[in-house]
Amino acid sequence: MEAAVVSASHGAMGSLLGKLGDLLTARYNLLKEAKGQIMFLQAELESIYAFLKRISDAEEPAEQDKCWAKQVRELSYDIEDSVNEFMLRVEHKCSSKPHGFKGFIKRSMNLLTTMNTRHDIAKEFEGLKIRVKEVSERRARYKLDGDAVKPNNTAVSFQKSNTAVDHRLLALHAETASLIGVTGPRDQLIKLMDEKVVPAHQLKVLSIVGFGGLGKTTLANEIYRKLGNQFQCRAFVSVSQKPNIGKILRTILSELGFRAPMDSNFEIWGESELISALKSFLVDKRYFIVIDDLWEDSPWDIIKCALPKNKNGSRVITTTRIETVARACCTDHIEYVYEMKPLNEEDSRRLFFKRMFGSEDACPSYLKEVSAEILKKCGGLPLAINTISSLLASHTQNNIKEYWEYVRNSLGTNFDVSPSLDAMRQILNLSYINLPHYLKACMLYLGIYPEDHTIHKNDLAREWVAEGFISKGHGMDPEDIARSYFNELINRRMIQPSETSCNGEVISCRVHDMMLDLILHKSREDNFITVVDDMQQLAEQQDKIRRLSVNLVGARDDIGAGSVQLTQTRTVAIFGIMSQLLPSLAEFKHLRVLIIEDGSKGEFRLTLLDLNGICHLFQLRCLRIKSRNHRAVLPSKIGGLHQLETFAIDATIEPSEGLICPTLPSDIVHMNRLLHLIVPETIIFPSGFGNMKSLRTLHCFNLENSVDNFKGLRELTNLTNLQIKYERAGFFTTLSNDDKAARCREVLLTCLEKLCNLKRLVVHVSSSRDACLDMSNLVPASFHCLQIFHVFDGTWFSRVPHWIGQLHSLYDLVLHVKEVLEGDVGIIAQLPSLVHVRLNIQGRPKEKMVFGSGFPILKFFEVSCSRIPYLVFEAGAMPKLERLHLCFKLMGCDRYSGAAPSGIEHLLSLKEISAYIGVHHANESNIRATTSTLRKLVCMHPGRPNVNIWTVNEYFTGSDEMFDELDEDWDDEGSCRSTS
């Protein structure tokens, strides 16, 4: 029997059959009548399941077959819900069964009730038996014949547990933007941006137009990257089909670097206020803005009101599929409308064979003819070529030519005449059909997220597991399998990498809007996901709602959901400010995943989000709240959530009545399946915290926790990801600096001595610079699996600790030290896995920092201190280094003193140098001399890397906020990232 998982094609059938087998065990003590019904259900459903699998494997099943398969899927969900309810009743009785004489009296008094319950269960299974018989009879009545179904033998039918992202694909992803078919259009547009039809010093608007899948966004992004540093400020924002103008304007302001006044609530500003702020902010600046994916001209009419037509040489690029919209953006200058063309034959071949074989020359001769025919059907669309080539690359069996011919024959001929949405959907649909069953549900689940949403891999993996898409057998961790599935979808080009960590791992993705169109089409067809953006739409749904995605951004708040049945819903995802008119959470009786995101970057908490209803969600496995506009109210008890694995809340939590500090529900410590606990740093943990031995992720453990909880931390030996935090602001003021330092050292020592499975450790105490972490140089061997170690802000070491040199698995290091002396650099230079280093030095180094041999694979090196450090790079130093970041300040009228980095020309792989200079009280000549010297250093480098220099008229002390302003390349797990 197939692994017991929920799938898009088979519904809950696989999971259900496993549970029916469990019900027949002695533990459930069923009546003989009920056992007989379950045995009938099990046998009948196994037969139905076999037939359902044949239908779902079909290339083009008949309409009757599809209709019957949908009914079977719906039935499987309903039966599983009933079984889950019954199992809950039994488990509740077992867990609460009293012992001793009192227990005997209690059991005797409950005997009649128990018998009634068992008879009720028997009746319920009798009803389910009747429904199953009806489904079987319907199959016979309409003479559905599985032998007539043509199976699709091309899909891979096994599960992978260790798939990694194909690094050739990531290289191709980067190269596609700069080489294959983009270089020519990019250079044309750059030339157009500089033409004198409109004087160069005036605002100029260009528009890229073309149908979906041509690469408009890729082209705009390439220009944005290449020219962005020539402007004082820049922004890249997507509009999409259902734009929220307020959100778009706020995003533009945020990306440009606008900071709202501290006493105002940026998140509730109206359009008029946002337009005024944007216009005022840009009036004297040279700016570059990309407005991506316009579907109509009305959003542009509003946006352009906020863009001052100054004489600083500002530029705006818009992208759209609609020519009339492109013309509207460029007003009277039709020559600034650039029409995207499909790739020519040569570029199409390059893109295709680069993915398949590395180059066209490596293509076997017996595949050249069929590949040419496939490319012809792709019509020069990069999205189509990438999707088809990834589909072919995923098939590695011996009959490779036969498979390629199957793909060719499966594609229609309409691309030969005109590329269209239908033709593109056909290509994408072929890739979906050829997904193995275990990936189809994972793929369709992406429809939960709105258009243009950045989807984080860890969130997705936990949600897939919670939904039941991942098998928990074979001794493998389900989340590892889920992450492997994510990588497989990346490799197949079904989803696009968005961000990668510093060690090359893809940590988030986006879904192309045409792929999302296909996903939503399939989801509607199979009743897999229901997507609404208006609460009234819920009442109009005909099918039972299994998974619900609600996008409330810009929705009307005066229309409620009406009367709608939601007890069968398994996932609810709400994006936007949560309406008070949503049904009570308690109505979602079988909910497994609850997501609430408002996408806000504001600092104000406006609305109470009452989560008391989660107490009744006995199937809830994943709770994830991310909101800056809500103050969450937690229930006092959640111990009934026995299935909960992820409890993640990024929102202000209201303290319980009578308390100053917010606390977690007291019985959370008894939840023995909880794996990930992610809460604000202001949270205090209840006593008994050390009982939570299943925890793998803990964010954040606050220094204000009790001594008992500090001791309890030592018991959490399964932790792999720990963040310790203490904020300057907030509820906490009780600890002195000495106490904070002592507690920081105690936590670190606990981690070193006891938590031998840690892979990531972050210590961030922003309230003091007196928390010295100096301690023993001994590190137990069991601690050597640490991969990420970050020490921020108020926590520091006097020097680079010697024991760091023993962490051979470490690839990401952020260290705050008082000074760097001779030999300190050598401690970290020999770490074989180190990819990223950020070194924050409290003062100016007293000695040169000399880098010779070592750092064999380091790619990112960042140094921050109060004065510019004197760095020396010898020949052969840092052979893989790509990015060098410097943060320092110029003091008063001090001369630059020539202490510039030397030997930069020896960094042969260098692609970018960035400097972030605090110029508070520095004179203009000193600033000019500093920036000029840095630029001359770059000119000496044979590779001519990009140089970015920022000067800020603020006082900085060489701390982390410098780098936080320089770039925000940090993921939710705290690991350095880069955007693809």
Side-chain angles (χ1 to χ4, degrees):
M1 189 177 68
E2 189 174 296
V5 293
V6 175
S7 76
S9 307
H10 310 143
M13 192 68 80
S15 172
L16 172 60
L17 286 171
K19 290 179 179 178
L20 288 175
D22 291 341
L23 283 179
L24 294 174
T25 61
R27 178 186 180 191
Y28 291 96
N29 193 26
L30 293 172
L31 294 176
K32 184 177 181 180
E33 178 187 2
K35 281 189 176 182
Q37 290 159 353
I38 290 174
M39 291 173 70
F40 171 85
L41 286 177
Q42 192 176 35
E44 193 70 12
L45 289 175
E46 283 178 357
S47 174
I48 291 174
Y49 190 24
F51 192 85
L52 180 62
K53 284 193 282 188
R54 273 187 281 173
I55 290 178
S56 60
D57 283 338
E59 203 171 303
E60 293 181 5
E63 284 301 315
Q64 273 189 340
D65 290 338
K66 290 199 298 187
C67 182
W68 182 83
K70 182 178 178 180
Q71 292 170 355
V72 170
R73 284 194 298 269
E74 294 295 314
L75 177 60
S76 72
Y77 285 127
D78 289 344
I79 297 177
E80 189 187 39
D81 287 345
S82 295
V83 169
N84 285 336
E85 282 195 65
F86 171 64
M87 286 180 160
L88 175 72
R89 288 192 228 174
V90 173
E91 289 172 6
H92 177 72
K93 291 184 189 305
C94 290
S95 62
S96 61
K97 188 179 291 185
H99 301 283
F101 179 72
K102 289 184 179 179
F104 171 75
I105 298 298
K106 183 73 172 177
R107 288 193 298 272
S108 299
M109 291 176 65
N110 288 341
L111 181 59
L112 182 59
T113 305
T114 303
M115 288 300 297
N116 288 338
T117 300
R118 291 166 68 192
H119 281 292
D120 289 342
I121 294 297
K123 289 178 183 178
E124 191 167 342
F125 279 117
E126 176 64 29
L128 295 173
K129 177 181 175 180
I130 292 171
R131 289 184 63 186
V132 170
K133 287 176 70 175
E134 288 174 351
V135 167
S136 296
E137 289 166 0
R138 190 174 297 116
R139 183 182 71 185
R141 188 161 59 249
Y142 292 110
K143 296 183 171 61
L144 302 180
D145 182 6
D147 294 333
V149 175
K150 180 183 176 183
N152 169 20
N153 294 319
T154 60
V156 181
S157 60
F158 54 87
Q159 296 195 20
K160 298 180 181 180
S161 61
N162 58 350
T163 304
V165 169
D166 184 346
H167 289 283
R168 294 178 306 163
L169 185 146
L170 291 180
L172 174 65
H173 184 78
E175 188 173 341
T176 300
S178 57
L179 293 178
I180 303 178
V182 176
T183 304
R186 180 198 66 193
D187 294 343
Q188 279 183 266
L189 267 168
I190 290 174
K191 183 180 178 182
L192 199 60
M193 290 173 73
D194 291 333
E195 282 185 357
K196 302 298 188 290
V197 178
V198 170
H201 63 273
Q202 290 187 12
L203 173 66
K204 189 181 291 186
V205 181
L206 297 90
S207 191
I208 304 171
V209 64
F211 46 81
L214 271 177
K216 300 183 296 297
T217 302
T218 299
L219 175 58
N221 195 39
E222 179 68 4
I223 299 170
Y224 183 75
R225 292 186 184 200
K226 189 171 182 65
L227 300 185
N229 294 328
Q230 300 177 13
F231 296 82
Q232 289 174 278
C233 54
R234 56 179 174 164
F236 194 116
V237 61
S238 292
V239 176
S240 305
Q241 285 182 274
K242 296 180 179 179
N244 179 287
I245 297 299
K247 183 179 179 181
I248 291 168
L249 293 172
R250 277 190 290 272
T251 301
I252 294 174
L253 279 164
S254 297
E255 290 199 14
L256 291 170
F258 174 79
R259 297 290 182 268
M262 292 295 293
D263 57 347
S264 67
N265 187 353
F266 182 53
E267 292 301 320
I268 63 170
W269 285 10
E271 289 179 13
S272 177
E273 198 171 1
L274 291 166
I275 289 171
S276 297
L278 187 52
K279 204 167 188 175
S280 176
F281 184 74
L282 292 176
V283 68
D284 59 349
K285 292 182 176 65
R286 186 168 188 255
Y287 58 86
F288 182 22
I289 298 175
V290 176
I291 310 296
D292 185 41
D293 201 18
L294 280 164
W295 284 77
E296 52 187 359
D297 50 14
S298 54
W300 168 250
D301 290 338
I302 298 174
I303 294 169
K304 71 179 181 182
C305 294
L307 305 179
K309 296 180 180 180
N310 58 30
K311 297 184 178 181
N312 297 323
S314 299
R315 298 290 182 263
V316 175
I317 291 178
T318 66
T319 74
T320 179
R321 302 182 186 192
I322 304 165
E323 188 174 353
T324 54
V325 175
R327 289 171 176 264
C329 293
C330 299
T331 56
D332 298 326
H333 298 283
I334 216 67
E335 63 275 12
Y336 289 147
V337 175
Y338 181 85
E339 184 180 353
M340 283 287 287
K341 306 288 186 188
L343 295 179
N344 60 36
E345 187 177 340
E346 180 183 354
D347 284 337
S348 294
R349 286 201 312 271
R350 288 179 63 203
L351 181 57
F352 181 79
F353 289 115
K354 184 76 174 177
R355 171 70 177 107
M356 292 302 307
F357 306 108
S359 70
E360 185 173 358
D361 294 338
C363 175
S365 58
Y366 66 89
L367 290 177
K368 287 192 174 180
E369 182 180 349
V370 66
S371 64
E373 293 169 348
I374 290 172
L375 276 172
K376 185 179 180 182
K377 292 177 183 289
C378 288
L381 274 78
L383 177 63
I385 295 169
N386 277 326
T387 304
I388 286 295
S389 61
S390 297
L391 170 63
L392 295 170
S394 69
H395 189 83
T396 57
Q397 298 178 15
N398 294 328
N399 56 339
I400 186 169
K401 184 179 180 182
E402 179 184 336
Y403 182 74
W404 283 42
E405 289 172 345
Y406 153 76
V407 170
R408 176 200 61 195
N409 296 335
S410 298
L411 298 174
T413 58
N414 44 358
F415 257 3
D416 297 346
V417 181
S418 173
S420 67
L421 178 62
D422 289 338
M424 175 65 78
R425 182 183 283 175
Q426 186 182 16
I427 284 184
L428 301 181
N429 187 49
L430 179 64
S431 293
Y432 174 79
I433 289 172
N434 281 269
L435 286 176
H437 288 301
Y438 63 86
L439 284 182
K440 285 182 178 177
C442 296
M443 186 68 198
L444 291 189
Y445 183 85
L446 294 167
I448 283 285
Y449 290 94
E451 187 177 3
D452 297 323
H453 198 84
T454 298
I455 306 169
H456 291 277
K457 176 165 69 174
N458 282 338
D459 291 339
L460 201 55
R462 292 163 190 169
E463 289 158 24
W464 285 345
V465 172
E467 265 277 11
F469 300 156
I470 313 297
S471 172
K472 296 190 178 183
H474 313 298
M476 294 177 289
D477 182 80
E479 287 185 28
D480 288 341
I481 298 174
R483 282 185 278 267
S484 179
Y485 290 179
F486 177 94
N487 292 343
E488 196 169 344
L489 290 174
I490 289 283
N491 288 341
R492 290 172 176 267
R493 295 310 289 263
M494 303 297 282
I495 56 179
Q496 300 174 328
S498 178
E499 299 162 325
T500 56
S501 68
C502 58
N503 69 335
E505 177 190 1
V506 179
I507 57 177
S508 68
C509 74
R510 287 179 184 266
V511 182
H512 192 282
D513 53 0
M514 296 197 72
M515 187 66 79
L516 183 60
D517 172 78
L518 174 71
I519 288 172
L520 296 179
H521 173 75
K522 292 284 186 184
S523 293
R524 286 190 294 269
E525 197 175 68
D526 295 342
N527 192 32
F528 192 79
I529 294 173
T530 301
V531 180
V532 299
D533 53 19
D534 188 312
M535 296 309 301
Q536 196 172 25
Q537 290 178 300
L538 284 180
E540 299 168 2
Q541 299 301 314
Q542 301 298 315
D543 292 320
K544 291 181 179 178
I545 297 175
R546 300 297 178 187
R547 296 167 189 87
L548 175 64
S549 177
V550 185
N551 191 343
L552 293 175
V553 176
R556 293 174 59 188
D557 280 337
D558 58 341
I559 300 178
S563 176
V564 60
Q565 179 63 260
L566 295 169
T567 57
Q568 305 90 357
T569 307
R570 294 176 167 229
T571 290
V572 170
I574 301 167
F575 301 92
I577 304 299
M578 187 174 176
S579 171
Q580 298 304 302
L581 300 174
L582 276 176
S584 166
L585 290 176
E587 290 189 29
F588 297 93
K589 192 175 179 181
H590 293 280
L591 200 66
R592 286 149 170 80
V593 178
L594 175 60
I595 303 166
I596 298 175
E597 288 190 28
D598 68 17
S600 164
K601 295 182 179 179
E603 295 297 328
F604 288 80
R605 283 76 179 184
L606 306 174
T607 311
L608 278 178
L609 177 59
D610 189 352
L611 296 176
N612 277 292
I614 67 172
C615 298
H616 307 288
L617 308 181
F618 68 94
Q619 286 289 335
L620 191 66
R621 290 159 167 79
C622 178
L623 172 68
R624 187 165 61 79
I625 313 292
K626 187 174 183 179
S627 172
R628 290 290 186 269
N629 278 312
H630 289 114
R631 291 173 290 139
V633 179
L634 297 181
S636 59
K637 303 280 186 180
I638 59 171
L641 305 182
H642 298 296
Q643 307 290 330
L644 194 65
E645 295 177 343
T646 299
F647 185 92
I649 298 186
D650 181 11
T652 295
I653 296 179
E654 285 286 285
S656 300
E657 188 175 349
L659 297 178
I660 299 176
C661 304
T663 60
L664 288 172
S666 58
D667 56 353
I668 196 172
V669 299
H670 303 302
M671 302 179 69
N672 55 14
R673 293 189 184 180
L674 193 63
L675 302 175
H676 309 286
L677 180 58
I678 301 171
V679 290
E681 61 272 10
T682 53
I683 281 288
I684 294 296
F685 298 131
S687 58
F689 168 68
N691 294 325
M692 303 179 73
K693 292 181 170 56
S694 59
L695 279 184
R696 298 179 191 171
T697 303
L698 176 56
H699 297 178
C700 300
F701 185 79
N702 198 288
L703 297 184
E704 291 276 354
N705 272 285
S706 67
V707 174
D708 285 342
N709 281 340
F710 265 76
K711 293 176 181 177
L713 183 63
R714 302 177 186 179
E715 305 300 319
L716 308 185
T717 53
N718 285 312
L719 276 180
T720 60
N721 188 333
L722 174 62
Q723 182 169 310
I724 298 110
K725 202 163 184 179
Y726 186 100
E727 287 289 352
R728 178 184 297 110
F731 297 97
F732 305 128
T733 56
T734 61
L735 292 180
S736 67
N737 286 338
D738 288 342
D739 288 338
K740 279 176 278 192
R743 290 200 172 190
C744 276
R745 284 193 296 271
E746 182 181 349
V747 170
L748 185 57
L749 188 60
T750 293
C751 295
L752 296 178
E753 290 182 339
K754 301 290 185 181
L755 306 185
C756 56
N757 288 307
L758 271 185
K759 292 183 178 179
R760 175 181 178 270
L761 174 60
V762 173
V763 183
H764 192 165
V765 180
S766 63
S767 58
S768 167
R769 296 202 172 275
D770 296 322
C772 178
L773 295 180
D774 286 348
M775 50 188 296
S776 167
N777 288 330
L778 299 177
V779 178
S782 58
F783 192 65
H784 290 174
C785 59
L786 194 68
Q787 298 173 352
I788 300 171
F789 182 41
H790 292 176
V791 176
F792 287 111
D793 209 21
T795 39
W796 50 271
F797 297 93
S798 59
R799 293 179 58 181
V800 176
H802 285 280
W803 52 262
I804 283 181
Q806 304 172 47
L807 305 179
H808 298 303
S809 298
L810 198 68
Y811 68 79
D812 189 355
L813 174 65
V814 175
L815 207 58
H816 200 123
V817 295
K818 195 166 186 178
E819 59 181 347
V820 177
L821 302 178
E822 184 179 0
D824 287 354
V825 170
I827 294 174
I828 55 177
Q830 302 308 313
L831 291 174
S833 304
L834 209 54
V835 176
H836 171 265
V837 172
R838 179 198 278 192
L839 197 59
N840 298 330
I841 308 167
Q842 285 194 16
R844 180 182 179 181
K846 298 176 182 177
E847 304 172 357
K848 295 180 181 179
M849 295 173 62
V850 181
F851 301 92
S853 60
F855 298 104
I857 62 171
L858 190 72
K859 291 185 178 181
F860 309 95
F861 183 51
E862 312 180 26
V863 180
S864 167
C865 58
S866 60
R867 301 278 295 279
I868 186 168
Y870 195 175
L871 310 178
V872 179
F873 299 98
E874 298 179 343
M878 300 183 179
K880 302 291 185 182
L881 190 71
E882 297 178 359
R883 293 168 62 184
L884 175 64
H885 287 187
L886 306 172
C887 269
F888 58 91
K889 64 183 178 183
L890 296 178
M891 294 292 291
C893 297
D894 290 350
R895 288 292 174 186
Y896 182 71
S897 73
S902 66
I904 284 180
E905 66 274 12
H906 295 142
L907 304 175
L908 300 181
S909 299
L910 197 63
K911 296 179 180 178
E912 176 189 311
I913 297 178
S914 299
Y916 191 81
I917 308 170
V919 295
H920 188 70
H921 290 164
N923 61 46
E924 284 297 325
S925 61
N926 199 12
I927 296 170
R928 285 195 299 270
T930 302
T931 56
S932 174
T933 302
L934 288 173
R935 293 187 185 279
K936 287 178 181 177
L937 285 173
V938 175
C939 290
M940 295 169 58
H941 193 283
R944 294 297 179 93
N946 292 329
V947 58
N948 304 308
I949 299 177
W950 288 269
T951 56
V952 177
N953 190 24
E954 296 180 27
Y955 184 81
F956 287 105
T957 56
S959 65
D960 300 296
E961 65 256 32
M962 286 187 174
F963 281 129
D964 293 337
E965 292 290 333
L966 179 60
D967 64 21
E968 296 181 351
D969 289 348
W970 303 91
D971 66 14
D972 289 339
E973 299 292 328
S975 182
C976 175
R977 72 179 182 227
S978 60
T979 304
S980 301

